[in-house]
Amino acid sequence: RKEVEQDPGPFNVPEGATVAFNCTYSNSASQSFFWYRQDCRKEPKLLMSVYSSGNEDGRFTAQLNRASQYISLLIRDSKLSDSATYLCVVNDGGADGLTFGKGTHLIIQP
Amino acid sequence: DVKVTQSSRYLVKRTGEKVFLECVQDMDHENMFWYRQDPGLGLRLIYFSYDVKMKEKGDIPEGYSVSREKKERFSLILESASTNQTSMYLCASSVRHEQYFGPGTRLTVT
């Protein structure tokens, strides 16, 4: 069974701090990886894709470790508006699309 | 920007009623998906479709059916609604494994 595991949190972090969380996946044949962000009572939205070489988008950095089968998301200089649930998402190459983790809840405190 | 719309944001139905949830996307995506999201369980795939008139079961298809008569429209049908189908229903369309979600329909079955 395909599994994507995340620490549900909540992570309570002061504004301006750096926060990181990981996600592990069970299928070593997984092909592509994403982080989605979901605000309370809203739909998930694509935050960033995760490439083998790692990638950065402003304050956000995503890393992939295929050997250990985990993905990480680092947020620097956190803002109050970063408060959300972050979903780790894996594409196993199968016909049924993506496998979603249950999400990590992040709360940025003033 | 990709736009995925769902027919209702909130819906209240009685046990045994037939329920139709409509989803429309405007980006000519071939792939469309229906999920339900429940606290502690995350997103679970109900059905998906890769082409007009084509449908495939996801992880939890029992009690649901779908229809895809036109490329832009993917409907979820609850033949006889039950209280355990009270949930948030999310439709998505995708390109290159990046999924774009509609705003969701919060369905309550009483």
Side-chain angles (χ1 to χ4, degrees), chain B residues 20-32:
Chain B
F20 292 88
L21 302 182
E22 303 283 338
C23 174
V24 178
Q25 51 97 1
D26 67 355
M27 285 302 292
D28 203 36
H29 289 169
E30 292 184 350
N31 309 329
M32 297 187 75

Side-chain angles (χ1 to χ4, degrees), chain B residues 64-91:
Chain B
Y64 303 94
S65 62
V66 290
S67 173
R68 189 142 181 226
E69 296 297 318
K70 293 184 178 181
K71 191 174 186 179
E72 68 270 19
R73 188 180 298 269
F74 191 34
S75 303
L76 181 69
I77 303 152
L78 287 65
E79 294 289 343
S80 177
S82 63
T83 55
N84 63 11
Q85 292 179 310
T86 291
S87 186
M88 168 69 87
Y89 289 87
L90 289 156
C91 173

Side-chain angles (χ1 to χ4, degrees), chain B:
Chain B
D1 278 353
V2 176
K3 190 163 185 183
V4 181
T5 57
Q6 295 184 228
S7 50
S8 305
R9 293 300 301 273
Y10 300 93
L11 208 52
V12 180
K13 294 292 182 180
R14 292 191 179 275
T15 300
E17 279 193 83
K18 191 169 186 176
V19 182
F20 292 88
L21 302 182
E22 303 283 338
C23 174
V24 178
Q25 51 97 1
D26 67 355
M27 285 302 292
D28 203 36
H29 289 169
E30 292 184 350
N31 309 329
M32 297 187 75
F33 305 82
W34 273 107
Y35 296 89
R36 62 178 284 177
Q37 187 174 33
D38 301 286
L41 297 177
L43 279 157
R44 292 182 291 168
L45 181 64
I46 304 171
Y47 266 96
F48 60 101
S49 170
Y50 281 93
D51 203 352
V52 175
K53 297 192 184 295
M54 178 272 185
K55 58 186 178 185
E56 294 287 344
K57 294 180 180 179
D59 297 321
I60 52 164
E62 296 78 19
Y64 303 94
S65 62
V66 290
S67 173
R68 189 142 181 226
E69 296 297 318
K70 293 184 178 181
K71 191 174 186 179
E72 68 270 19
R73 188 180 298 269
F74 191 34
S75 303
L76 181 69
I77 303 152
L78 287 65
E79 294 289 343
S80 177
S82 63
T83 55
N84 63 11
Q85 292 179 310
T86 291
S87 186
M88 168 69 87
Y89 289 87
L90 289 156
C91 173
S93 69
S94 77
V95 59
R96 296 186 305 275
H97 301 292
E98 296 178 1
Q99 291 195 4
Y100 298 88
F101 287 85
T105 296
R106 188 166 293 279
L107 173 67
T108 301
V109 183
T110 62

